[in-house]
């Protein structure tokens, strides 16, 4: 394969002294323990409860000690944190300078150059590729030099549109090394969605692959980039890595990545960055149409992902960590790349799907790679559960120690199957709640605390440094237990997003102003009488399809572009496998004579093209009108009950302007379901 060929052309070994170009202080001053003066400030031994208290009551002592001991600094920080949640100013490790790529690569190469950093579990099963820390550093440096030679500078945004593969990880780390800001766009997004993100980030540079492979099928990623670039005049260069042997048409902007990398040196001076310089942007859906470019900065993010990776998954040196999320999502950033690599771990890069070539794929991979911690999404667990236990039991899973779940609420049935069938009742299941905005896991069991209770389908306890609060809709803090409310976090933590790219006002309005003094998550939660947390779902117009966030407004924006659509409302409905699916109610313009079925397939095509396939509404129902309040607001609550098949619980309809239309919609919904299920 071309990529492998290119790799074997690189010199296999690099003399050790060539890495000494990374003149960080910690190198010259000897072992890292020299940087742990405050670690001794914790009375030993301290249990998790004690540590948790310290973490929320003595923020500076706690994070200061960890910051010193877990991160290699070029210049030490002078202030642990300086945060004002009201104003939206969050700074951690001020005065400190560091390089994230050095933390994820060089310091481990120094200790164990041949330790495996990445195990690339390619789409084709049984052909994994192991990349050592030395090799990954080498790739990263060559790539960093290539970017610099082509004009990429510190602070520039670089869009990465690639599947989970080593070159994608090297691209992220190369940006980090030279101080560029990466924005990874999930390779399932359409050209229009990609273009929108490139434009918002104003990125002049794109890194992609010729083609992707997923579930045995070829995906024309470069072609999608070509279409996107047509809409983005600011793009000056497109680096194309060869994931397959196929030659794709290249234009003036296109640069063959491996060819250029081979001309470059295997060392690349890491740039000293301030703790609060931007590390990356990652776009995520909100309740209004336009995706938000959430910004994460260097030191706080890196430290938070490393610490959560260690304590939530009880990660120990030598473990093989298997997070199957795509690098295009925050889970891939934090728990495929930054957390595990900062800890010097071995991390699996999973390129395929849970059912390719068959529903045993995950567990066959666990057996072959001897994965110790497996981290996946409830949607996949639910899907695999349906295929039965045999696909699991066929494979040896005795390497597994911890099972993790992320992305959406995991229901009790799926949790129990995961625990008892996949884990043979031997592995704690950690249901980890967090968001793109939080950078890393915030609420989760901590099995590194032996003996601590874990209840099915509950995220359980706040992580170190996280103080959750439940608030009612009037903004009162609910102090009692056995209660539900809006989940907020009352103190800043190192991993939190700092802003929305180019729109700090929107950041404040979305997260900080709804409950002044608190970070508002947009999720509802229940606190049990033992004080454990259970997440109950989104409180805003965001739906979660297979663990992927989607604004219903984003889908409506696209649907409304169809010539026949006068008005639309997209609602999430419970979907057995995907968690939620999109259900579109459409009012057609007068004079259009299109059947509901044809309209549905046109709209599905449109949404697939403009956003992504998974965003396409599964159901499209044409209605004469939408239910509205007298002031003209669509009553989404009513539509929601209908799609949940709970039409008998419509609640207070006093503000509804036209009762007849609700009856019609209920009838139309019944008919549509009958047609779809053929009953
Ligand atoms: C990591 C990630 C965030 C949203 C979040 C929730 C939902 C995530 C859980 C969960 C219940 C969980 N980032 N969510 N994890 N709900 N239990 N363990 O998914 O930005 O893409 O999505 O996902 O609604 O707000 S994300």
């Amino acid at each position: 394969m071309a990529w492998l060929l290119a790799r074997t052309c690189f010199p296999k070994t690099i003399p050790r002294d060539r890495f000494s170009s990374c003149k960080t202080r910690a190198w010259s001053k000897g072992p890292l323990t020299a940087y742990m003066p405050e670690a001794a400030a914790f009375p030993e031994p301290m249990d998790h409860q004690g540590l948790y208290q310290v973490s929320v009551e003595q923020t500076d002592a706690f994070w200061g000690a960890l910051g010193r001991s877990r991160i290699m600094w070029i210049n030490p920080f002078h202030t642990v944190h300086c945060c004002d949640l009201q104003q939206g100013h969050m700074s951690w490790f001020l005065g400190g300078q560091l390089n994230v790529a050095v933390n994820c690569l060089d310091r481990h190469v120094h200790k164990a150059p041949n330790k495996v950093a990445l195990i690339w579990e390619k789409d084709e099963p049984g052909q994994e590729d192991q990349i050592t820390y030395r090799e990954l550093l080498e790739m990263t440096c060559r790539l960093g030099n290539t970017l610099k030679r082509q004009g990429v500078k510190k602070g520039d945004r670089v869009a990465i549109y690639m599947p989970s593969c080593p070159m994608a990880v090297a691209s992220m780390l190369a940006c980090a090394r030279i101080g560029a800001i990466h924005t990874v766009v999930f390779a399932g997004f359409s050209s229009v969605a990609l273009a929108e993100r490139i434009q918002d980030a104003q990125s002049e540079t794109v890194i992609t692959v010729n083609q992707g492979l997923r579930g045995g099928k070829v995906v024309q990623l470069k072609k999608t980039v070509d279409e996107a670039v047509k809409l983005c005049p600011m793009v000056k260069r497109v680096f194309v890595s060869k994931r397959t042997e196929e030659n794709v048409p290249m234009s003036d902007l296109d640069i063959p990545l491996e060819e250029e990398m081979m001309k470059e040196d295997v060392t690349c001076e890491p740039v000293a960055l301030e703790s609060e310089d931007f590390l990356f942007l990652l776009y995520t859906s909100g309740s209004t149409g336009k995706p938000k470019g959430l910004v994460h900065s260097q030191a706080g993010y890196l430290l938070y992902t490393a610490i959560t990776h260690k304590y939530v998954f009880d990660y120990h040196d030598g473990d093989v960590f298997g997070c199957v999320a795509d690098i295009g999502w925050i889970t891939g950033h934090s728990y495929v790349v930054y957390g595990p690599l900062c800890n010097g771990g071995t991390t699996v890069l999973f390129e395929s799907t849970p059912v390719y070539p068959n529903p045993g794929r995950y567990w066959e991979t666990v057996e072959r790679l001897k994965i110790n911690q497996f981290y996946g999404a409830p949607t996949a667990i639910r899907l695999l559960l349906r295929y039965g236990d045999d696909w699991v039991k066929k494979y040896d899973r005795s390497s597994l120690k911890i099972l993790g779940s992320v992305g959406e609420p995991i229901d009790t049935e799926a949790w129990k199957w995961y625990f008892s069938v996949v884990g043979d009742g031997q592995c704690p299941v950690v249901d980890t709640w967090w968001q793109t905005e939080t950078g890393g896991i915030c609420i989760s069991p901590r099995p590194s605390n032996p003996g601590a209770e874990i209840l099915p389908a509950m995220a359980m306890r706040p992580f170190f440094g996280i103080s959750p609060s439940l608030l009612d809709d009037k903004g009162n803090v609910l102090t009692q237990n056995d209660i539900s409310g809006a989940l907020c976090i009352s103190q800043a933590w190192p991993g939190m997003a700092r802003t929305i790219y180019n729109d700090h006002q929107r950041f404040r309005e979305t997260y900080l102003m709804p409950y002044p003094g608190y970070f508002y998550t947009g999720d509802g939660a229940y606190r049990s009488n033992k004080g454990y947390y259970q997440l109950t779902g989104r409180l805003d117009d965001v739906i979660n399809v297979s663990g992927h966030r989607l604004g219903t407004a984003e889908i409506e924006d696209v649907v409304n572009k169809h010539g026949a659509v006068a008005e639309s409302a997209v609602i999430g409905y419970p979907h057995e496998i995907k968690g939620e699916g999109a259900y579109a109610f459409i009012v057609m313009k007068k004079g259009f004579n299109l059947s509901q079925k044809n309209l549905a397939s046109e709209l599905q095509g449109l949404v697939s093209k403009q956003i992504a396939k998974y965003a396409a509404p599964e159901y499209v129902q044409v209605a004469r009108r939408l239910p509205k309040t007298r002031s003209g607001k669509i009553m989404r609550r009513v539509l929601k009950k209908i799609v949940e098949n709970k039409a008998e619980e419509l609640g207070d309809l006093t503000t509804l302007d036209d009762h007849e239309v609700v009856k019609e919609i209920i009838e139309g919904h019944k008919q549509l379901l009958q047609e779809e299920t053929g009953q």
Side-chain angles (χ1 to χ4, degrees):
M1 200 189 69
W3 183 83
L4 261 184
L5 277 179
R7 208 181 111 222
T8 45
C9 294
F10 295 162
K12 260 290 170 224
T13 49
I14 310 167
R16 220 165 230 259
D17 59 322
R18 298 199 65 174
F19 291 113
S20 57
S21 64
C22 326
K23 292 188 199 71
T24 58
R25 275 213 187 172
W27 289 103
S28 51
K29 281 203 178 170
L32 282 173
T33 44
Y35 284 79
M36 293 184 67
E38 282 182 31
F42 298 144
E44 293 280 350
M46 193 180 265
D47 63 7
H48 270 235
Q49 189 49 34
L51 275 176
Y52 177 74
Q53 289 305 336
V54 173
S55 77
V56 288
E57 286 162 14
Q58 301 172 48
T59 306
D60 282 359
F62 183 84
W63 289 113
L66 287 173
R68 271 180 266 272
S69 62
R70 302 295 176 122
I71 286 189
M72 183 177 273
W73 297 93
I74 297 170
N75 273 309
F77 54 89
H78 52 67
T79 302
V80 176
H81 91 304
C82 177
C83 300
D84 181 343
L85 279 185
Q86 296 261 5
Q87 292 305 314
H89 301 310
M90 283 81 61
S91 296
W92 289 83
F93 305 111
L94 285 170
Q97 286 189 315
L98 74 162
N99 185 282
V100 167
V102 169
N103 276 276
C104 290
L105 298 171
D106 306 52
R107 64 169 166 165
H108 310 308
V109 172
H110 199 63
K111 258 174 61 190
N114 296 324
K115 180 167 180 182
V116 175
L118 304 177
I119 305 178
W120 182 23
E121 177 63 16
K122 292 183 243 183
D123 191 51
E124 309 91 325
Q127 296 184 28
E128 78 274 9
D129 199 357
Q130 307 207 337
I131 289 98
T132 65
Y133 271 96
R134 184 205 304 270
E135 289 169 324
L136 186 58
L137 174 59
E138 190 181 305
M139 274 173 81
T140 301
C141 286
R142 286 182 187 265
L143 220 159
N145 289 331
T146 307
L147 293 176
K148 281 198 291 188
R149 188 171 306 276
Q150 300 291 337
V152 180
K153 294 180 299 297
K154 179 178 164 183
D156 287 354
R157 277 79 54 219
V158 173
I160 299 176
Y161 187 73
M162 300 167 102
S164 289
C165 62
M167 201 59 95
V169 177
S171 300
M172 294 163 78
L173 293 171
C175 289
R177 195 166 192 90
I178 68 170
I181 302 165
H182 62 71
T183 176
V184 181
V185 179
F186 173 56
F189 276 126
S190 69
S191 58
V192 179
L194 171 62
E196 192 181 10
R197 286 156 178 77
I198 292 174
Q199 286 162 6
D200 189 81
Q202 287 290 304
S203 46
E204 295 179 351
T205 309
V206 181
I207 311 180
T208 189
V209 294
N210 57 342
Q211 299 178 315
L213 283 178
R214 214 172 135 74
K217 294 196 189 79
V218 173
V219 194
Q220 302 294 350
L221 294 180
K222 167 67 164 57
K223 201 167 155 235
T224 309
V225 171
D226 289 344
E227 284 162 19
V229 166
K230 279 189 210 141
L231 308 170
C232 303
M234 75 288 282
V235 171
K236 291 192 178 148
R237 53 194 86 86
V238 177
F239 294 96
V240 185
S241 170
K242 283 194 90 171
R243 169 61 183 88
T244 68
E245 299 287 359
E246 196 71 21
N247 287 319
V248 294
M250 299 284 271
S251 77
D252 290 352
L253 294 180
D254 301 336
I255 304 165
L257 185 56
E258 284 84 356
E259 272 176 40
E260 290 305 307
M261 279 169 69
M262 267 150 66
K263 299 180 195 155
E264 296 293 339
D265 200 26
V266 290
T267 63
C268 170
E269 189 72 25
V271 174
L273 293 156
E274 305 293 327
S275 294
E276 285 301 339
D277 280 340
F278 292 176
L279 175 62
F280 66 84
L281 319 180
L282 188 61
Y283 284 84
T284 193
S285 297
S287 53
T288 57
K290 199 171 153 235
K292 305 173 277 203
L294 285 156
V295 175
H296 283 284
S297 58
Q298 313 270 332
Y301 172 79
L302 184 67
L303 180 66
Y304 196 74
T305 58
I307 297 298
T308 46
H309 172 249
K310 172 146 184 58
Y311 290 100
V312 172
F313 298 101
D314 200 21
Y315 186 84
H316 284 88
D317 200 31
D319 286 348
V320 175
F321 189 75
C323 169
V324 290
D326 191 279
I327 51 147
W329 308 112
I330 190 69
T331 309
H333 283 58
S334 300
Y335 300 109
V336 175
V337 181
Y338 289 111
L341 294 182
C342 184
N343 288 334
T346 298
T347 177
V348 175
L349 254 175
F350 186 79
E351 192 185 31
S352 195
T353 81
V355 289
Y356 180 71
N358 60 51
R361 178 60 186 265
Y362 277 170
W363 325 120
E364 187 271 323
T365 306
V366 166
E367 173 182 282
R368 184 163 31 82
L369 306 183
K370 301 203 165 36
I371 290 173
N372 300 113
Q373 291 90 0
F374 181 88
Y375 193 25
T379 181
I381 306 300
R382 285 193 295 268
L383 177 71
L384 297 177
L385 183 157
R386 290 182 142 202
Y387 285 98
D389 301 1
D390 290 351
W391 283 112
V392 184
K393 293 194 169 148
K394 226 169 129 177
Y395 300 103
D396 177 10
R397 288 150 287 117
S398 57
S399 58
L400 289 174
K401 296 194 276 193
I402 306 264
L403 296 170
S405 165
V406 60
E408 48 182 321
I410 179 164
D411 53 281
T412 309
E413 187 197 9
W415 192 100
K416 288 193 168 153
W417 186 78
Y418 203 24
F419 176 74
S420 56
V421 178
V422 175
D424 261 335
Q426 304 293 310
C427 309
V429 171
V430 292
D431 174 7
T432 63
W433 175 87
W434 59 294
Q435 311 177 294
T436 306
E437 292 82 345
T438 70
I441 295 163
C442 286
I443 305 183
S444 159
R446 259 173 276 146
S448 54
N449 179 14
E453 187 173 35
I454 302 180
L455 299 177
M458 284 193 114
M460 303 298 294
R461 300 176 184 79
F463 189 73
F464 299 133
I466 300 296
S467 23
S469 295
L470 299 181
L471 278 81
D472 70 14
D473 44 16
K474 295 191 185 68
N476 302 311
V477 179
L478 303 166
T479 51
Q480 62 273 50
N481 282 347
D482 189 17
I483 197 142
S484 296
L487 177 65
C488 296
I489 303 177
S490 65
Q491 294 182 23
W493 65 101
M496 72 187 293
R498 303 298 195 254
T499 188
I500 291 173
Y501 191 65
N502 274 338
D503 202 348
H504 195 58
Q505 186 55 23
R506 185 172 177 200
F507 182 83
R508 293 185 56 211
E509 281 168 10
T510 312
Y511 305 109
L512 307 177
M513 276 146 64
Y515 296 100
Y518 293 83
F519 173 85
Y520 171 58
T521 67
D523 282 331
Y526 165 75
R527 186 169 50 227
S528 76
N529 45 30
K530 287 186 175 168
Y532 301 145
Y533 289 87
Q534 179 169 41
L535 277 295
T536 51
R538 299 290 304 180
L539 299 171
D540 51 23
D541 294 329
V542 171
I543 60 174
N544 193 324
V545 181
S546 304
H548 302 150
R549 263 164 78 167
L550 272 169
T552 50
E554 267 174 274
I555 306 176
E556 286 163 11
D557 273 359
V558 173
V559 163
N560 292 345
K561 286 182 190 153
H562 189 286
V565 174
E567 198 177 21
S568 69
V570 173
I571 309 287
Y573 71 96
H575 186 289
E576 236 180 285
I577 306 286
K578 301 186 197 171
E580 277 185 291
Y583 190 120
F585 290 94
I586 307 288
V587 178
M588 284 219 270
K589 284 185 189 153
K590 287 215 166 60
F592 274 89
N593 193 3
L594 200 60
S595 74
Q596 182 165 280
K597 227 186 186 125
N598 289 343
L599 180 66
S601 72
E602 286 180 20
L603 293 179
Q604 284 155 350
L606 199 60
V607 176
S608 304
K609 196 154 180 290
Q610 302 266 320
I611 308 177
K613 269 210 181 89
Y614 72 86
E618 303 235 344
Y619 293 98
V620 172
Q621 180 180 341
V622 175
R624 186 173 52 85
R625 291 197 54 201
L626 296 176
K628 292 195 179 169
T629 61
R630 284 167 222 275
S631 63
K633 275 202 163 138
I634 297 174
M635 290 183 77
R636 293 173 173 277
R637 171 174 66 78
V638 169
L639 294 173
K640 179 112 194 131
K641 286 285 179 207
I642 296 173
V643 300
E644 285 173 349
N645 294 319
K646 291 182 187 155
E648 65 289 349
E649 303 171 16
L650 293 183
D652 178 17
L653 296 178
T654 46
T655 55
L656 183 65
D657 64 350
D658 177 353
H659 288 258
E660 211 40 51
V661 77
V662 173
K663 285 189 204 136
E664 285 173 23
I665 289 176
I666 294 173
E667 209 34 58
H669 170 68
K670 274 192 201 143
Q671 269 176 23
L672 181 56
L673 285 193
Q674 271 166 9
E675 280 164 30
E676 292 286 323
T677 55
Q679 288 163 3

